[in-house]
Structures are given as C-alpha cells and as structure tokens.
Amino acid sequence: MNATIKDVAREAKVSIATVSRVLNNSAVVTDETKQRVLDAIKKTGYKPNALARSLKIQKTHTIGLIVPDISSPFYPEVVRGIEDIASMYSYNIFLCNTDQKEEKEMNYIEILSEKQVDGIIYMGDIIRDSVKQQLKDIGIPIVLAGTEDAESEFPNVNIDNKKASYDAVKYLISLGHKKIGMISGPADDPIGGVQRTNGYKEALSEAKIRFKPSLVVEGSFKARQAYLAMLKLLENNVDAVFAASDEMAAAAINAIFDSGFSVPEDIHVIGFDNTYLSYMFRPTITTIQRPAYDIGAVSMRLMTKLLAKEPIDDMHVVLPHQLIVRESTGYGEEKK
Amino acid sequence: MNATIKDVAREAKVSIATVSRVLNNSAVVTDETKQRVLDAIKKTGYKPNALARSLKIQKTHTIGLIVPDISSPFYPEVVRGIEDIASMYSYNIFLCNTDQKEEKEMNYIEILSEKQVDGIIYMGDIIRDSVKQQLKDIGIPIVLAGTEDAESEFPNVNIDNKKASYDAVKYLISLGHKKIGMISGPADDPIGGVQRTNGYKEALSEAKIRFKPSLVVEGSFKARQAYLAMLKLLENNVDAVFAASDEMAAAAINAIFDSGFSVPEDIHVIGFDNTYLSYMFRPTITTIQRPAYDIGAVSMRLMTKLLAKEPIDDMHVVLPHQLIVRESTGYGEEKK
DNA sequence: TTGTAGGCGTTATCAA
DNA sequence: TTGATAACGCCTACAA
C-alpha cells in the first residue's frame, strides 16, 4: 500500500490541506511546518497519486497519439519529435497504432477521451469524415501531424507536398529529361496520391511536356508493387522516374537493374522522404526530405500552446522540404 | 461539460448505483430499467470517466514503456508488437524515450508510478543498478523486452545473443574462412558488446582458430565508426567480417568497396538484426534475425499474465533467432 | 431488484 | 497560517 497524503498529514501532525499546500508549494506555509511535512514525505515514501489529482483538477497532462503504424518508416521520427517536446513540457504520451483502420481509430479516440487526455495528435494519410466528426465532438485540442484535413478545420503541421513533388520533377526536367515516369501513392490518398501527382503534372505542364497517363503508375508505398510498376514504366521507355517514397524508389532501381539497365547511367530516379534507405542504398537515392522530427516537434509545440490557450499566430504550419541530390540522378556524392 | 453518471441517473430516474451496474453489467438489473439507463446514456452522450474509475478500482489498464529511442531501428517493431497485444487486452501504452540516460529513465519511472500504471516494460541495452532498484521499489510487474538484467531478477523476453553470434561466426568458418574480423558493439554493453563477442570467440575456439584481439574492433552501432573500423580490419587482411548490427555491416561493405575490394567476391560479411536495410541494401546482407515484433508481443503477453496473476511457466523466455543467408556471403538470392 | 452512503486521493473554499 | 470539508466521478458493501 502506497502512502497517501493522509499518512503524511498524520506523520507530520498537520492537516491534509497543509500537506497539499507544500506539495503544490502554493500558499504561505511556515518554514517550520513545511519542513515537518517534507520530512514526513520522505519518511513515508509518499508519492502523489496523479489519478486523484487529475480527477480533481480536470487535467491529466497526457496526450494521445493516433498513428497508423509505429513500425513503418517516417512515424518513429515524428513520434520522437513529439515525445521530446512533450517531455519538455511534462506531458506524457499514449501511443495508439491504428493501421489507418476506421474502426481502430474510432475505438482509440473513444478510449483516449475516457482516459481524459488533454489533447490528441493525429497522424495518417487519410482522415475520414467519421473520425473527423468524432475528433471534433470530444472537444479537446487536436493537431494533425504530417497530414491535413480537406477543409483545414484542424490545426496542422505539414510540408507542401504538391510543391515538393513539383520540385523533384522540375529537377528531372532541368537534367534534360522528357519522358518522366511516376510511381505514385494510392489514388485515394489525398496527399501521397493526389497532391504529389498534381505536383508532377504541374512541373510537366510548366515545361510544356504533355502529360501521359500511361507514365503514372499507382503504387501502394510497398516495394513489391513498385517493382512491378517500374517494369511497366520500362515498357514505355521512360528515361527518369519520380517515386512517391524512397522504398518505392529503391524497388524501382532494383527493377531497372534486373531489367539490364542501370542507374544513373540509363535512367534517373528520385524518391521521397529521405529515409535512411535513401542514403544507405547503392546507388544512393536523390530524394525529397520531409522533416519528420520537426513535424512532430512543431506539432507538439503547437499542442502545448493550444492547451495553454496561448495566442497562436498560425494554425497551419508549413515546414520546408528539401531536394537532396544523390547518385541516382548522377550527381554528387552521398553527403548524408 | 461532459455528462456524468449522475446525469444519466437523473435522466433515467434511477440511482447512480443502478447506472453503474448496467455500465459494468454486473448485478442483476431488470431488462426494463436497464433499457431506461441505456437510453439515458445515449441521450446524455455519457462517457465514463476512466480516471475516476481507476482511482476507485486501483487499476488503470495502462502500462509504461521505457525505450531508448523509438526512432532507431528495432524498437519500433518491438513497440508495435507490444501495442498490438496490449490493444488486444485493452491496455494502453505510455511511450517514454530515454536515450538510455539514467536521469531520464528514473524520472520517467517516477512519473509512470505516479500515474499509477499497472506495469512497466523496460527496453535498453544496459540496465543500471539504480534503475533496477527503482523498478523493484515501485512494486508493480516489470518485464524486460529484448534485454536482461545480470541477476535475472526480472521476467524477460530475449534471444540468446551469444548463441546467435556463435552461429554467425560458425557459418563463416563453415565457408572456409580463417581470418574473421568482428565489429562489435560498445564494450560496456553486456549484450551487443560482451555476449556477441563471446559468441564470436567461442565459435573460433571450437574451430581451433586462435583469437586475435586485433581482429575485433569496437563499434558504436553507428555507420561512421563501423566504416572506420572496417578500414582497420582491412589492414589486417581479414577475409570475412561479422558485424554486431546491420547498419554496421552495411557501412563495412561500403568501406570494402571504397577500398577497391568487393563483397562477396573478396570478403564475406554478416550483420545482425535483419532490419530492412539488410535486404534492401545491395548486396543483400546475410544477417541474424532477432524477432523484434515477437519480442514485443511476447513481453506484453507475459505482462498480461503477470497482471492477471496467472501462473507463469517461464519467467525468462528465449525466442529463436535465425541466420538469414543472403548475397554478402555469396549464397542464394534475396528471399525476404 | 434498487437505493444510500462511504471512500478512492486529491484540491480548494471557507472558517477559524 | 492552518484545519475542516465539500467536491472530482465512480464503485460497492450494506440496507431496504
């Protein structure tokens, strides 16, 4: 049995109110009684019960994290960023894996709400209306990290995905390529699918290169599908490829080699995310860096402001991305 | 303001006790009153307050996770395993990153204890005495995942690290190698450093190959140091290398290539962990698979048993590891 | 079958 | 400056 505030009070021969006061070193307590209480605390080995405290003050100093899959790339870094800042502000983190499944998401949000979290940070490619509604209903601060909702109703932190893929494709064009293929994310993914494909189209159109649907193959962010997608693109004689993820880029490069061509000599490839695969793989992969850690850190910082009801200058933070040029576009050494 | 049990009681014209009963569908409640209560719950939008409940029943259905760094390889998978099983048993997870720093670890354990977690799963290469003592003091179930304490006082789930590296080195010997180098983990790491090095020594000794200290270079699990370590080993003309992690193995291969040699033609390399780097990297890397997901899942399962005070057949679970043969030892195709 | 009331461990108001 | 005491929202004997 853990000691409670009562035990301390008895030990120090004061009331529990006084103990509570020195605990929160709030009101004015005589140095003498304060010392008595401190001694009693040490003697009893008293540890405050955060549950009781939270129940009373209606705050748990805990926030929930909804994440598709902590074991897939990108998210661990984001979560690390979140946790670092949370720790800095004395918040704890509930981690919830949902595999982006509606049922799991809703179930977790429900539980988080029952556990009285002070806020929720949501991650995931797609945010369904049902989930969105539920998040609004529970009435606590929500921040979207590395994603956004269609109507921008929630505060969020992200990069400009369209601009990022525009930059990638524009770079390929600047290298003299005309037949540029793309391995995109799923079409129903508004970001990895739609936005990145739009950036690709815009770069082409700006360069007055006609868009050919046959040069865009839908992937699933998985290596295997991307490998097959690349084989299709090879049939169309592309001379450069932009893949919506590093893993897909790596798979594409493998497909290119296995087909008897080589990178960067015959075909140039650009990936997305700057995961460590992109610089450990040989050839190293030119890619777009998405600042995962920062997305997490800034999201959590935004959350702390929301929770403290501080004034917020910008509810929608756009973090800078960066094109990192490596061997797969025939330029430069690995810089890491 | 959220509705409470009182609101529901008033709405349904029953006492709060009755509401509580249907909530925990415990005692015998008339179907009719039950229905009235259910309606009232729906009407008021009542959500139970887990804090109040936990305070009363002295259980939070929450467990704490102490992890060095969720953004480094291996741990995300372990955590995924933990979370999957936790979710299955309706437990929530507090994620705590410590960078293996004593101060952070102790601080988090303190907080977890105050937040009344039902148990703690600890991960990390080294477990300090101070931390160990603290874990024992808080008096809740502890499980070590992917690690172990010197005296085996805590229940744990892990692989046999010595045997694993023994297997790796024995395989190299079976391929005819005599000058086998090793890039180990830090010497003060009882597992990645000591145990794996011991396995290396044992395999050599069994094959009557004399152990040469110059063939073991201490690494830090980081790519850069491993690269340099490999350069040293090359000066000693090794014909095979066992690295205590995939990342170090990959860095070693890069060093070998950059020195004008090739893998597997000139030198064979084996890594450790079967991270996805090991099969995406070219040449694909022969490695020891540590079942990260299973370590997590089994740890959490063990925790649920501890919490339910179920009888436990084995407090120390040793999960099987596996040698996965790939190109870096000149054998077979990537099987993934 | 249902209701009353005490208590889980705090905080905070109001007196003293 | 300190002490009673009423919440916070829930569970659970014990009565009715």
Side-chain angles (χ1 to χ4, degrees), chain B residues 188-263:
Chain B
D188 65 340
D189 175 344
I191 297 173
V194 181
Q195 292 189 13
R196 291 190 193 158
T197 306
N198 284 345
Y200 164 86
K201 288 178 184 168
E202 186 167 309
L204 291 190
S205 123
E206 192 187 87
K208 307 218 187 311
I209 298 176
R210 221 176 105 234
F211 166 71
K212 289 191 189 165
S214 61
L215 294 192
V216 176
V217 184
E218 187 181 335
S220 59
F221 291 123
K222 296 272 172 61
R224 182 162 188 74
Q225 274 201 33
Y227 186 96
L228 299 174
M230 189 62 226
L231 295 183
K232 271 193 206 163
L233 291 177
L234 283 171
E235 289 171 12
N236 288 308
N237 302 310
V238 296
D239 49 19
V241 176
F242 168 51
S245 82
D246 287 335
E247 188 163 0
M248 295 202 293
I253 293 176
N254 287 339
I256 293 168
F257 275 96
D258 292 349
S259 301
F261 299 102
S262 116
V263 175

Coordinates of all heavy atoms in Angstrom, one line a residue, chain B residues 188-263:
Chain B
D188 N 31.1 -1.8 -23.1 CA 30.3 -1.7 -21.8 C 28.9 -2.2 -22.0 O 28.0 -2.0 -21.1 CB 30.4 -0.3 -21.2 CG 29.7 0.7 -22.1 OD1 29.5 0.4 -23.3 OD2 29.3 1.8 -21.6
D189 N 28.6 -2.6 -23.2 CA 27.2 -3.1 -23.5 C 27.3 -4.7 -23.3 O 27.9 -5.4 -24.1 CB 26.8 -2.8 -24.9 CG 25.5 -3.4 -25.3 OD1 25.0 -4.3 -24.6 OD2 25.0 -3.0 -26.4
P190 N 26.6 -5.1 -22.2 CA 26.7 -6.5 -21.9 C 26.2 -7.5 -23.0 O 26.6 -8.6 -23.1 CB 25.9 -6.7 -20.6 CG 25.1 -5.4 -20.4 CD 25.8 -4.4 -21.3
I191 N 25.3 -7.0 -23.8 CA 24.7 -7.8 -24.8 C 25.5 -7.6 -26.1 O 26.2 -8.5 -26.6 CB 23.2 -7.6 -25.0 CG1 22.5 -7.9 -23.7 CG2 22.7 -8.4 -26.1 CD1 21.1 -7.6 -23.6
G192 N 25.2 -6.5 -26.8 CA 25.8 -6.2 -28.1 C 27.3 -6.2 -28.0 O 28.0 -6.5 -29.0
G193 N 27.9 -5.9 -26.9 CA 29.3 -5.9 -26.7 C 29.8 -7.3 -26.3 O 30.4 -8.1 -27.0
V194 N 29.6 -7.5 -25.0 CA 30.1 -8.7 -24.4 C 29.6 -10.1 -25.0 O 30.3 -10.9 -25.5 CB 29.9 -8.7 -22.9 CG1 30.5 -9.9 -22.2 CG2 30.5 -7.4 -22.2
Q195 N 28.3 -10.3 -24.9 CA 27.7 -11.6 -25.3 C 28.1 -11.9 -26.7 O 28.4 -13.0 -27.0 CB 26.2 -11.6 -25.1 CG 25.8 -11.6 -23.6 CD 24.3 -11.8 -23.4 OE1 23.6 -12.2 -24.3 NE2 23.8 -11.6 -22.2
R196 N 27.9 -10.9 -27.6 CA 28.1 -11.2 -29.0 C 29.6 -11.5 -29.3 O 29.9 -12.3 -30.1 CB 27.6 -10.1 -29.9 CG 26.1 -10.0 -29.8 CD 25.4 -9.1 -30.8 NE 24.0 -8.9 -30.5 CZ 23.3 -7.9 -30.9 NH1 23.8 -7.0 -31.6 NH2 22.0 -7.8 -30.5
T197 N 30.5 -10.8 -28.6 CA 31.9 -11.0 -28.7 C 32.2 -12.4 -28.2 O 33.0 -13.1 -28.8 CB 32.7 -10.0 -28.0 OG1 32.3 -8.7 -28.4 CG2 34.2 -10.1 -28.3
N198 N 31.6 -12.8 -27.1 CA 31.8 -14.1 -26.6 C 31.4 -15.2 -27.5 O 32.1 -16.2 -27.7 CB 31.1 -14.3 -25.3 CG 31.8 -13.6 -24.1 OD1 32.9 -13.2 -24.2 ND2 31.0 -13.4 -23.0
G199 N 30.3 -15.0 -28.2 CA 29.9 -16.0 -29.2 C 30.9 -16.1 -30.3 O 31.2 -17.3 -30.8
Y200 N 31.4 -15.0 -30.7 CA 32.5 -15.0 -31.7 C 33.7 -15.8 -31.3 O 34.2 -16.7 -32.0 CB 32.8 -13.5 -32.0 CG 34.1 -13.3 -32.7 CD1 34.2 -13.2 -34.1 CD2 35.3 -13.0 -32.0 CE1 35.4 -13.0 -34.8 CE2 36.5 -12.7 -32.7 CZ 36.5 -12.7 -34.1 OH 37.7 -12.4 -34.7
K201 N 34.1 -15.5 -30.0 CA 35.3 -16.2 -29.5 C 35.0 -17.7 -29.4 O 35.8 -18.6 -29.8 CB 35.6 -15.7 -28.1 CG 36.2 -14.3 -28.1 CD 36.5 -13.9 -26.7 CE 37.0 -12.4 -26.7 NZ 37.0 -11.9 -25.3
E202 N 33.8 -18.1 -29.0 CA 33.5 -19.5 -28.8 C 33.6 -20.2 -30.1 O 34.1 -21.4 -30.2 CB 32.2 -19.7 -28.1 CG 31.9 -21.1 -27.8 CD 30.7 -21.3 -26.8 OE1 30.7 -20.6 -25.8 OE2 29.8 -22.0 -27.2
A203 N 33.0 -19.6 -31.1 CA 33.0 -20.3 -32.5 C 34.4 -20.5 -32.9 O 34.8 -21.5 -33.5 CB 32.2 -19.4 -33.5
L204 N 35.3 -19.5 -32.7 CA 36.7 -19.6 -33.1 C 37.3 -20.7 -32.4 O 38.0 -21.6 -33.0 CB 37.4 -18.3 -32.9 CG 37.1 -17.0 -33.7 CD1 38.1 -15.9 -33.4 CD2 37.0 -17.4 -35.2
S205 N 37.1 -20.7 -31.1 CA 37.8 -21.6 -30.2 C 37.4 -23.1 -30.6 O 38.2 -24.0 -30.7 CB 37.6 -21.3 -28.8 OG 37.0 -22.4 -28.1
E206 N 36.1 -23.2 -30.8 CA 35.6 -24.5 -31.2 C 36.3 -25.0 -32.5 O 36.5 -26.2 -32.7 CB 34.1 -24.5 -31.4 CG 33.5 -25.9 -31.5 CD 32.0 -25.8 -31.8 OE1 31.7 -25.7 -33.0 OE2 31.2 -25.7 -30.9
A207 N 36.6 -24.1 -33.4 CA 37.2 -24.5 -34.7 C 38.7 -24.4 -34.5 O 39.4 -24.5 -35.6 CB 36.7 -23.5 -35.8
K208 N 39.2 -24.2 -33.3 CA 40.7 -24.2 -33.1 C 41.3 -23.1 -33.9 O 42.4 -23.3 -34.4 CB 41.3 -25.5 -33.4 CG 40.7 -26.7 -32.7 CD 41.7 -27.7 -32.2 CE 41.0 -29.0 -31.7 NZ 39.9 -28.7 -30.7
I209 N 40.7 -21.9 -34.0 CA 41.3 -20.8 -34.6 C 41.7 -19.9 -33.5 O 40.9 -19.6 -32.6 CB 40.3 -20.0 -35.5 CG1 39.8 -21.0 -36.7 CG2 40.9 -18.8 -36.1 CD1 38.8 -20.4 -37.6
R210 N 42.9 -19.4 -33.5 CA 43.4 -18.6 -32.4 C 42.7 -17.2 -32.5 O 42.6 -16.6 -33.5 CB 44.9 -18.4 -32.4 CG 45.4 -18.5 -31.0 CD 47.0 -18.5 -31.0 NE 47.4 -17.2 -30.5 CZ 48.3 -16.4 -31.2 NH1 48.7 -16.8 -32.4 NH2 48.7 -15.3 -30.7
F211 N 42.3 -16.7 -31.3 CA 41.6 -15.4 -31.2 C 42.7 -14.3 -31.2 O 43.6 -14.4 -30.5 CB 40.8 -15.4 -29.9 CG 40.4 -14.0 -29.5 CD1 39.4 -13.3 -30.3 CD2 41.0 -13.3 -28.5 CE1 39.0 -12.1 -29.9 CE2 40.6 -12.0 -28.2 CZ 39.6 -11.4 -28.9
K212 N 42.5 -13.4 -32.1 CA 43.4 -12.2 -32.2 C 42.7 -11.0 -31.8 O 41.8 -10.6 -32.6 CB 44.0 -12.1 -33.6 CG 45.0 -13.2 -33.9 CD 45.7 -12.8 -35.2 CE 46.5 -13.9 -35.8 NZ 46.9 -13.7 -37.2
P213 N 43.0 -10.3 -30.8 CA 42.4 -9.1 -30.4 C 42.3 -8.0 -31.5 O 41.4 -7.3 -31.6 CB 43.2 -8.6 -29.2 CG 43.9 -9.8 -28.7 CD 44.1 -10.7 -29.8
S214 N 43.3 -8.0 -32.3 CA 43.4 -7.0 -33.4 C 42.2 -7.2 -34.4 O 41.9 -6.3 -35.2 CB 44.7 -7.1 -34.1 OG 44.9 -8.3 -34.7
L215 N 41.6 -8.4 -34.4 CA 40.6 -8.6 -35.4 C 39.2 -8.2 -34.8 O 38.2 -8.4 -35.5 CB 40.6 -10.1 -35.8 CG 41.8 -10.5 -36.6 CD1 41.6 -11.9 -37.2 CD2 42.1 -9.5 -37.7
V216 N 39.2 -7.8 -33.6 CA 37.9 -7.3 -33.0 C 38.0 -5.8 -32.8 O 38.8 -5.3 -32.0 CB 37.5 -8.0 -31.7 CG1 36.3 -7.4 -31.1 CG2 37.4 -9.5 -31.9
V217 N 37.2 -5.0 -33.6 CA 37.2 -3.6 -33.4 C 35.9 -3.2 -32.8 O 34.8 -3.6 -33.2 CB 37.4 -2.9 -34.8 CG1 37.5 -1.4 -34.5 CG2 38.6 -3.4 -35.4
E218 N 36.0 -2.4 -31.8 CA 34.8 -1.9 -31.1 C 34.0 -0.8 -31.9 O 34.6 0.2 -32.3 CB 35.1 -1.4 -29.7 CG 33.9 -1.1 -28.8 CD 34.4 -0.5 -27.5 OE1 35.5 -0.8 -27.0 OE2 33.6 0.2 -26.9
G219 N 32.8 -1.0 -32.1 CA 32.0 0.0 -32.8 C 31.0 0.6 -31.9 O 31.1 0.4 -30.7
S220 N 30.1 1.3 -32.4 CA 29.1 2.0 -31.5 C 27.7 1.8 -32.1 O 26.8 2.6 -31.8 CB 29.4 3.5 -31.5 OG 29.4 4.0 -32.8
F221 N 27.6 0.9 -33.0 CA 26.3 0.7 -33.7 C 26.0 1.8 -34.7 O 25.0 1.8 -35.3 CB 25.1 0.5 -32.8 CG 25.1 -0.7 -32.0 CD1 25.1 -0.7 -30.6 CD2 25.2 -2.0 -32.6 CE1 25.1 -1.8 -29.8 CE2 25.2 -3.1 -31.9 CZ 25.2 -3.1 -30.5
K222 N 27.0 2.7 -34.9 CA 26.8 3.8 -35.8 C 27.6 3.5 -37.1 O 28.6 2.8 -37.1 CB 27.3 5.1 -35.2 CG 26.6 5.6 -34.0 CD 25.4 6.4 -34.4 CE 24.5 6.8 -33.3 NZ 25.2 7.5 -32.2
A223 N 27.0 4.0 -38.2 CA 27.6 3.7 -39.5 C 29.0 4.2 -39.6 O 30.0 3.5 -40.1 CB 26.7 4.3 -40.6
R224 N 29.2 5.4 -39.2 CA 30.5 6.1 -39.4 C 31.7 5.3 -38.7 O 32.7 5.0 -39.4 CB 30.4 7.5 -38.9 CG 31.7 8.3 -39.2 CD 31.6 9.8 -39.1 NE 32.8 10.4 -39.5 CZ 33.2 10.4 -40.8 NH1 32.4 9.9 -41.7 NH2 34.4 10.9 -41.1
Q225 N 31.5 5.0 -37.5 CA 32.5 4.3 -36.8 C 32.8 3.0 -37.3 O 33.9 2.5 -37.4 CB 32.1 4.2 -35.3 CG 32.5 5.3 -34.4 CD 32.6 5.0 -33.0 OE1 33.0 3.8 -32.6 NE2 32.2 5.9 -32.1
A226 N 31.7 2.3 -37.8 CA 31.9 1.0 -38.4 C 32.7 1.1 -39.7 O 33.4 0.2 -40.0 CB 30.5 0.4 -38.6
Y227 N 32.4 2.1 -40.4 CA 33.2 2.3 -41.7 C 34.7 2.4 -41.4 O 35.5 1.7 -42.0 CB 32.7 3.6 -42.3 CG 33.3 3.9 -43.7 CD1 32.6 3.6 -44.8 CD2 34.5 4.5 -43.8 CE1 33.1 3.8 -46.1 CE2 35.1 4.8 -45.1 CZ 34.3 4.5 -46.2 OH 34.8 4.7 -47.5
L228 N 35.0 3.2 -40.4 CA 36.4 3.3 -40.0 C 36.9 2.0 -39.4 O 38.1 1.6 -39.7 CB 36.5 4.4 -38.9 CG 36.1 5.8 -39.4 CD1 36.1 6.8 -38.3 CD2 37.0 6.2 -40.6
A229 N 36.1 1.3 -38.6 CA 36.5 0.0 -38.1 C 36.9 -1.0 -39.2 O 37.9 -1.7 -39.1 CB 35.4 -0.6 -37.2
M230 N 36.1 -0.9 -40.2 CA 36.3 -1.9 -41.4 C 37.6 -1.6 -42.0 O 38.4 -2.5 -42.4 CB 35.2 -1.8 -42.4 CG 35.2 -2.8 -43.5 SD 35.1 -4.5 -42.8 CE 36.4 -5.3 -43.7
L231 N 37.9 -0.3 -42.1 CA 39.2 0.1 -42.8 C 40.4 -0.5 -42.0 O 41.4 -1.0 -42.5 CB 39.4 1.6 -42.8 CG 38.4 2.3 -43.7 CD1 38.6 3.8 -43.8 CD2 38.4 1.8 -45.2
K232 N 40.3 -0.5 -40.6 CA 41.3 -1.1 -39.8 C 41.4 -2.6 -40.1 O 42.5 -3.1 -40.2 CB 41.0 -0.9 -38.3 CG 41.5 0.4 -37.7 CD 41.4 0.3 -36.2 CE 41.3 1.7 -35.6 NZ 40.8 1.7 -34.2
L233 N 40.2 -3.2 -40.1 CA 40.2 -4.7 -40.3 C 40.9 -5.0 -41.7 O 41.5 -6.1 -41.8 CB 38.8 -5.2 -40.3 CG 38.2 -5.2 -38.9 CD1 36.7 -5.7 -38.9 CD2 39.0 -6.1 -37.9
L234 N 40.6 -4.2 -42.7 CA 41.2 -4.4 -44.0 C 42.7 -4.4 -43.9 O 43.4 -5.2 -44.6 CB 40.7 -3.3 -45.0 CG 39.3 -3.5 -45.5 CD1 38.9 -2.3 -46.3 CD2 39.2 -4.8 -46.3
E235 N 43.3 -3.6 -43.1 CA 44.7 -3.6 -42.9 C 45.2 -4.9 -42.4 O 46.4 -5.3 -42.6 CB 45.1 -2.5 -41.9 CG 45.0 -1.1 -42.5 CD 45.2 0.0 -41.4 OE1 45.6 -0.4 -40.3 OE2 44.8 1.2 -41.6
N236 N 44.4 -5.6 -41.7 CA 44.7 -6.9 -41.1 C 44.4 -8.1 -42.0 O 44.3 -9.2 -41.6 CB 44.1 -7.1 -39.7 CG 44.8 -6.2 -38.7 OD1 46.0 -6.3 -38.6 ND2 44.0 -5.5 -38.0
N237 N 43.9 -7.7 -43.3 CA 43.6 -8.7 -44.3 C 42.6 -9.7 -43.9 O 42.8 -10.9 -44.1 CB 44.9 -9.4 -44.7 CG 46.0 -8.5 -45.2 OD1 45.7 -7.7 -46.1 ND2 47.2 -8.6 -44.6
V238 N 41.6 -9.3 -43.3 CA 40.5 -10.3 -42.9 C 39.9 -10.8 -44.2 O 39.9 -10.1 -45.2 CB 39.4 -9.6 -42.1 CG1 40.0 -9.2 -40.7 CG2 38.8 -8.5 -42.8
D239 N 39.3 -12.0 -44.2 CA 38.6 -12.5 -45.4 C 37.1 -12.6 -45.1 O 36.3 -13.1 -45.9 CB 39.2 -13.7 -45.9 CG 39.4 -14.8 -44.8 OD1 38.8 -14.7 -43.8 OD2 40.2 -15.7 -45.0
A240 N 36.7 -12.3 -43.9 CA 35.3 -12.3 -43.5 C 35.1 -11.4 -42.3 O 36.0 -11.2 -41.5 CB 34.8 -13.7 -43.3
V241 N 33.9 -10.8 -42.2 CA 33.6 -9.9 -41.1 C 32.2 -10.2 -40.5 O 31.2 -10.4 -41.3 CB 33.6 -8.5 -41.5 CG1 33.2 -7.6 -40.4 CG2 35.0 -8.1 -42.0
F242 N 32.1 -10.2 -39.2 CA 30.8 -10.3 -38.5 C 30.6 -9.0 -37.8 O 31.4 -8.6 -36.9 CB 30.8 -11.5 -37.5 CG 29.6 -11.5 -36.6 CD1 28.3 -11.4 -37.1 CD2 29.8 -11.6 -35.2 CE1 27.3 -11.4 -36.3 CE2 28.7 -11.6 -34.4 CZ 27.4 -11.5 -34.9
A243 N 29.5 -8.3 -38.2 CA 29.2 -7.0 -37.5 C 28.0 -7.2 -36.6 O 27.1 -7.9 -36.9 CB 28.9 -6.0 -38.6
A244 N 28.1 -6.5 -35.5 CA 27.0 -6.7 -34.5 C 25.7 -6.0 -34.8 O 24.8 -6.0 -34.0 CB 27.5 -6.3 -33.1
S245 N 25.6 -5.4 -36.0 CA 24.4 -4.8 -36.4 C 24.4 -4.6 -38.0 O 25.5 -4.6 -38.6 CB 24.1 -3.4 -35.8 OG 24.8 -2.4 -36.5
D246 N 23.2 -4.6 -38.5 CA 23.1 -4.5 -40.0 C 23.7 -3.2 -40.5 O 24.3 -3.1 -41.5 CB 21.6 -4.6 -40.4 CG 21.1 -6.0 -40.3 OD1 21.9 -6.9 -40.4 OD2 19.9 -6.1 -40.2
E247 N 23.4 -2.1 -39.7 CA 23.9 -0.8 -40.2 C 25.4 -0.8 -40.2 O 26.0 -0.3 -41.1 CB 23.4 0.3 -39.2 CG 23.7 1.6 -39.7 CD 22.8 2.7 -39.1 OE1 22.0 2.4 -38.2 OE2 23.0 3.9 -39.4
M248 N 26.0 -1.5 -39.2 CA 27.5 -1.5 -39.2 C 27.9 -2.4 -40.4 O 29.0 -2.2 -41.0 CB 28.0 -2.1 -37.9 CG 27.7 -1.1 -36.7 SD 28.7 -1.3 -35.3 CE 28.2 -2.9 -34.7
A249 N 27.2 -3.5 -40.7 CA 27.6 -4.4 -41.8 C 27.5 -3.6 -43.1 O 28.4 -3.7 -43.9 CB 26.6 -5.6 -41.8
A250 N 26.5 -2.8 -43.3 CA 26.3 -2.0 -44.5 C 27.5 -1.1 -44.6 O 28.1 -0.9 -45.7 CB 25.0 -1.3 -44.5
A251 N 27.8 -0.4 -43.5 CA 28.9 0.6 -43.5 C 30.2 -0.1 -43.9 O 31.0 0.4 -44.6 CB 29.0 1.3 -42.2
A252 N 30.3 -1.3 -43.3 CA 31.6 -2.1 -43.6 C 31.7 -2.5 -45.1 O 32.7 -2.3 -45.7 CB 31.6 -3.4 -42.7
I253 N 30.6 -2.9 -45.6 CA 30.6 -3.2 -47.1 C 30.9 -2.0 -47.9 O 31.7 -2.1 -48.8 CB 29.2 -3.8 -47.5 CG1 28.9 -5.1 -46.8 CG2 29.1 -3.9 -49.0 CD1 27.6 -5.7 -47.1
N254 N 30.4 -0.8 -47.5 CA 30.7 0.4 -48.2 C 32.2 0.6 -48.1 O 32.9 1.0 -49.1 CB 30.0 1.6 -47.7 CG 28.5 1.5 -48.1 OD1 28.1 0.9 -49.1 ND2 27.6 2.2 -47.3
A255 N 32.8 0.4 -46.9 CA 34.2 0.6 -46.8 C 35.0 -0.3 -47.6 O 36.0 0.1 -48.2 CB 34.6 0.5 -45.3
I256 N 34.6 -1.5 -47.7 CA 35.2 -2.5 -48.5 C 35.3 -2.2 -50.0 O 36.3 -2.2 -50.6 CB 34.6 -3.9 -48.3 CG1 34.8 -4.4 -46.9 CG2 35.1 -4.9 -49.3 CD1 33.9 -5.6 -46.5
F257 N 34.1 -1.8 -50.5 CA 34.0 -1.3 -51.9 C 34.9 -0.1 -52.1 O 35.6 0.0 -53.1 CB 32.6 -1.0 -52.3 CG 31.8 -2.2 -52.7 CD1 31.0 -2.9 -51.8 CD2 31.9 -2.7 -54.0 CE1 30.3 -4.1 -52.2 CE2 31.2 -3.8 -54.4 CZ 30.4 -4.5 -53.5
D258 N 34.8 0.8 -51.2 CA 35.5 2.1 -51.4 C 37.0 1.8 -51.3 O 37.8 2.6 -51.8 CB 35.2 3.1 -50.3 CG 33.7 3.6 -50.5 OD1 33.1 3.3 -51.6 OD2 33.2 4.3 -49.6
S259 N 37.4 0.7 -50.8 CA 38.8 0.3 -50.7 C 39.3 -0.5 -51.9 O 40.4 -1.0 -52.0 CB 39.2 -0.5 -49.4 OG 38.8 0.3 -48.3
G260 N 38.4 -0.7 -52.8 CA 38.7 -1.4 -54.0 C 38.5 -2.9 -54.0 O 38.8 -3.6 -54.9
F261 N 37.9 -3.4 -52.9 CA 37.5 -4.8 -52.9 C 36.1 -5.0 -53.1 O 35.3 -4.1 -53.2 CB 37.9 -5.4 -51.5 CG 39.4 -5.3 -51.2 CD1 39.9 -4.3 -50.4 CD2 40.3 -6.2 -51.8 CE1 41.2 -4.2 -50.1 CE2 41.6 -6.1 -51.6 CZ 42.1 -5.1 -50.7
S262 N 35.7 -6.3 -53.1 CA 34.2 -6.5 -53.4 C 33.6 -7.5 -52.5 O 34.3 -8.4 -52.0 CB 34.0 -6.7 -54.9 OG 33.6 -7.9 -55.2
V263 N 32.3 -7.4 -52.3 CA 31.6 -8.4 -51.5 C 30.5 -9.0 -52.4 O 29.8 -8.3 -53.1 CB 30.9 -7.6 -50.3 CG1 30.0 -8.6 -49.5 CG2 31.9 -6.9 -49.4

